[in-house]
Amino acid sequence: MNEARVIAPEELIPSVPETIFLFRSCTGSMEYPGTENAIKEVLDKLGINIVMDPDQTCCSGYLLTCSAHKPELSLAVTARNLAIVEQKNLDTYMFCNGCYGYNRELAHILKHNPAYMQMANDIIAKQGYHYEGKTGIFHVQELWYRLKKELVARAVVPLNGLKVGVHYGCHYLAQQYQILDDGGYPTFQEELLAAFGAEPVFYKERQACCGYSVGRGFTHKESVVQPHLFKKFKSAKEAGVDLMTTTCPGCNVGLDREQPNLAKRYGEEFDIPVIDLSQLLGLALGVPLNKLGFEANTVPLDKVIEKLGLKKGE
Amino acid sequence: MMPREKYKDKAENLYKQVDAYNLVENLETCLACGKCVGNCPVASLNPSYNPRQIISDVMSGEARRWLDSEEIWRCFWCAGCYTVCPNDIHFPLLMMQIRYMAVENNWGLKYIMPFKRFALRAREDGLTFAPSEKGREKIKRYRRNLGVSEWPEISAKAQAEYKELFDLTGTTEFLEKLSDEAERPVRFKYLEGRIVGE
Ligand code: SF4
Ligand code: SF4
């Protein structure tokens, strides 16, 4: 551990970009399309432009972790997608910890192994691309924290008294270098939410994994993942969490969609809605509810909306 | 009484064989400190799963024990182990490669077979986990109600090139060959942290 792990937001993102490349997330755009829309709405309020590109594909990381394809494919896909961003001279912002983690990890491997870089570039050259390793890879939440003051200045719905339990997600925290916070005990999202008047709750199992890959994806092992999630939700409930936030649509699936199954197995309803941090910022900044897509959520948000004094249809 | 270790087929340089992609490289710096175990959600629920033990066995050439084990299919790939490791040992990248080795030997096929279909589907869609036509209706409705395009905006060019990358990297072939006919059974190697006698 000879490199500093934590980086200050002003150092990570020295000048606030005028335009960012927003990396489409498969899970995000299909399971919770409101997340991408919330990001667009909030950035619009801040005057930051978004570029997306229909030529971008899936990051291909998830199926790699399922051993369903070999690293060569994911390295080539990463090089191709990032080459598209590089052509535009922009930095890449992800809103899925999967996209973020896999792109960072695979780009790191490419940049530190000339042979892999060569291999990937030889393959994508057939499609007319070349990856240099220039584009920066960031998570949208890093931009939120960098713009804390600007965001708070535009808040119109105070989050006063809302007890929010943050879920950071493993694949953000596991990117050990040059992330905003200590992967072992992060607090920056709590700081951000407190600035909006919310009451962040440090529940005991805050850093426990969402279980998505085991429960819904990889080994379909309910017997492993449900006891794990039960522990997590139990500790959140006991700490009085009203709302859980994620920064990854995959985590959101794991935590939101799995609650009815937990209720079936354990006979205990947790009833804790789970939304993306960007959607909560959208609420605070007065983005209309119908632009935030909460109808895609399994656990309804009614109580939270009522607590914030918002009406459906607003 | 703890069962004693017996000689099993020790594979010299197993570590280098497992880490065929040279992605881990620093396994010998493992301090056996156990921080990874303490931060592992699977280990906390299931004492037979132990990343430190897996590293130690891989280093000492205990080949068979993990390749035909149930344990390697429990890892969440959350990288909690890597996050706390004082020597930055990238255990998930080791696990990924142990699994490839297991699958090459026909162990654990049942765990990756469900993904054959998803991967072949992703190869067409350029997106992972897109549902079948029926499942798409709900997505389209939610997206319509948001006032955005009915389907994620992915171009035909992106889909064709993504598919081509599967072919160019040998992934299509790898997937088509996957079959569970040759499946060999896996079982727990440790129970409650103890070695199961062989
Ligand atoms: S945390 Fe790292 S050094 Fe410690 S036992 Fe685990 S792998 Fe080895
Ligand atoms: S990646 Fe696997 S071994 Fe590491 S902490 Fe997560 S479940 Fe445990």
Side-chain angles (χ1 to χ4, degrees):
Chain A
M1 229 197 287
N2 18 11
E3 247 179 278
R5 293 189 173 188
V6 178
I7 182 163
E10 292 75 17
E11 224 181 297
L12 183 67
I13 307 174
S15 58
V16 176
E18 269 174 43
T19 307
I20 64 163
F21 183 90
L22 189 65
F23 195 94
R24 185 185 56 250
S25 146
C26 303
T27 307
S29 55
M30 292 187 285
E31 292 277 351
Y32 299 104
T35 301
E36 184 185 305
N37 217 44
I39 295 167
K40 289 180 174 165
E41 295 279 339
V42 173
L43 284 178
D44 186 53
K45 286 187 190 285
L46 294 167
I48 295 174
N49 303 312
I50 290 182
V51 171
M52 291 182 78
D53 194 326
D55 289 346
Q56 179 223 310
T57 67
C58 169
C59 73
S60 87
Y62 190 87
L63 288 168
L64 174 67
T65 66
C66 300
S67 316
H69 47 241
K70 297 268 174 118
E72 287 85 346
L73 173 69
S74 301
L75 288 167
V77 168
T78 302
R80 182 187 168 282
N81 280 331
L82 295 178
I84 289 175
V85 189
E86 276 181 359
Q87 274 171 2
K88 304 178 196 296
N89 246 326
L90 294 172
D91 284 329
T92 320
Y93 283 76
M94 320 275 177
F95 60 95
C96 164
N97 284 348
C99 301
Y100 174 81
Y102 301 135
N103 271 285
R104 282 261 306 224
E105 197 66 60
L106 293 158
H108 179 89
I109 291 171
L110 288 168
K111 285 196 255 181
H112 291 82
N113 296 274
Y116 285 140
M117 187 64 125
Q118 185 69 43
M119 178 216 69
N121 267 325
D122 285 349
I123 294 173
I124 63 172
K126 300 195 170 104
Q127 303 176 336
Y129 301 99
H130 180 77
Y131 173 56
E132 282 177 45
K134 275 190 327 208
T135 179
I137 300 169
F138 301 98
H139 195 298
V140 168
Q141 60 179 321
E142 294 170 335
L143 192 58
W144 297 151
Y145 189 68
R146 173 73 172 81
L147 293 167
K148 186 165 88 176
K149 271 200 216 107
E150 290 82 344
L151 285 166
V152 172
R154 284 171 178 77
V156 292
V157 178
L159 302 181
N160 294 348
L162 190 65
K163 294 195 163 176
V164 186
V166 167
H167 173 86
Y168 283 86
C170 305
H171 290 166
Y172 182 74
L173 301 179
Q175 289 301 312
Q176 304 204 52
Y177 296 102
Q178 306 241 304
I179 63 169
L180 277 182
D181 215 331
D182 178 356
Y185 195 78
T187 55
F188 75 97
Q189 289 189 36
E190 278 87 353
E191 277 169 49
L192 180 63
L193 292 172
F196 285 91
E199 267 180 52
V201 181
F202 287 79
Y203 60 107
K204 186 163 161 273
E205 300 289 343
R206 184 177 71 117
Q207 280 167 250
C209 171
C210 69
Y212 173 69
S213 68
V214 166
R216 301 189 66 85
F218 194 20
T219 45
H220 300 281
K221 280 212 173 295
E222 274 104 9
S223 60
V224 177
V225 81
Q226 290 185 349
H228 165 76
L229 282 180
F230 182 74
K231 241 170 55 175
K232 182 164 178 103
F233 278 105
K234 188 97 183 153
S235 88
K237 194 85 196 172
E238 279 169 9
V241 168
D242 294 324
L243 173 74
M244 216 179 258
T245 57
T246 61
T247 35
C248 172
C251 297
N252 219 92
V253 168
L255 298 171
D256 176 37
R257 307 267 190 255
E258 222 38 63
Q259 284 187 57
N261 301 337
L262 289 180
K264 244 185 265 159
R265 189 185 186 102
Y266 292 99
E268 189 170 342
E269 296 251 359
F270 291 113
D271 200 17
I272 298 177
V274 188
I275 65 172
D276 195 277
L277 176 68
S278 303
Q279 290 174 302
L280 183 56
L281 295 180
L283 280 176
L285 265 62
V287 174
L289 279 172
N290 62 7
K291 293 275 170 206
L292 296 172
F294 295 129
E295 80 174 316
N297 286 61
T298 300
V299 180
L301 249 81
D302 301 357
K303 282 187 209 145
V304 171
I305 289 170
E306 200 182 309
K307 198 159 183 173
L308 294 178
L310 297 167
K311 275 198 205 80
K312 282 198 175 170
E314 248 174 44
Chain B
M1 204 178 73
M2 263 303 248
R4 292 271 176 123
E5 293 257 36
K6 292 198 207 85
Y7 174 81
K8 283 174 224 71
D9 61 334
K10 284 201 195 281
E12 294 290 328
N13 294 320
L14 172 66
Y15 165 31
K16 284 294 149 205
Q17 285 173 42
V18 176
D19 190 24
Y21 284 91
N22 288 317
L23 297 175
V24 187
E25 288 181 320
N26 59 342
L27 211 58
E28 60 285 322
T29 66
C30 176
L31 303 166
C33 67
K35 288 188 81 171
C36 49
V37 187
N39 204 37
C40 170
V42 180
S44 81
L45 292 164
N46 188 333
S48 67
Y49 183 79
N50 185 322
R52 173 175 63 175
Q53 185 68 53
I54 294 175
I55 290 176
S56 139
D57 285 342
V58 169
M59 289 299 290
S60 58
E62 296 289 350
R64 286 268 323 278
R65 184 182 293 161
W66 294 108
L67 297 185
D68 64 352
S69 78
E70 161 77 37
E71 278 92 343
I72 57 170
W73 301 98
R74 298 221 150 189
C75 169
F76 284 24
W77 244 79
C78 69
C81 46
Y82 174 50
T83 311
V84 294
C85 176
N87 280 336
D88 297 350
I89 291 172
H90 208 314
F91 184 77
L93 289 178
L94 180 75
M95 180 53 80
M96 176 177 83
Q97 300 182 86
I98 294 179
R99 285 172 173 173
Y100 287 143
M101 238 182 146
V103 167
E104 273 165 28
N105 289 286
N106 298 322
W107 282 299
L109 283 162
K110 63 175 173 186
Y111 293 120
I112 64 168
M113 280 310 287
F115 293 97
K116 176 177 176 173
R117 190 169 50 90
F118 285 124
L120 287 173
R121 178 67 145 287
R123 174 176 170 266
E124 306 290 327
D125 291 329
L127 300 169
T128 297
F129 291 143
S132 58
E133 235 9 89
K134 217 175 102 219
R136 291 184 187 207
E137 277 318 305
K138 205 157 74 178
I139 296 175
K140 289 182 181 170
R141 191 174 70 242
Y142 293 157
R143 293 184 60 99
R144 260 200 313 274
N145 291 348
L146 267 175
V148 301
S149 67
E150 270 203 337
W151 192 246
E153 288 176 45
I154 179 158
S155 66
K157 177 170 183 263
Q159 288 171 327
E161 290 179 358
Y162 194 64
K163 188 172 178 175
E164 192 183 28
L165 292 181
F166 273 67
D167 300 345
L168 291 172
T169 55
T171 304
T172 307
E173 207 192 327
F174 168 77
L175 286 168
E176 278 166 357
K177 266 207 249 146
L178 275 183
S179 134
D180 46 12
E181 273 166 31
E183 174 84 37
R184 294 158 82 185
V186 294
R187 61 192 192 91
F188 279 111
K189 293 293 151 169
Y190 287 83
L191 276 179
E192 301 298 315
R194 293 177 174 211
I195 303 163
V196 180
E198 300 206 326

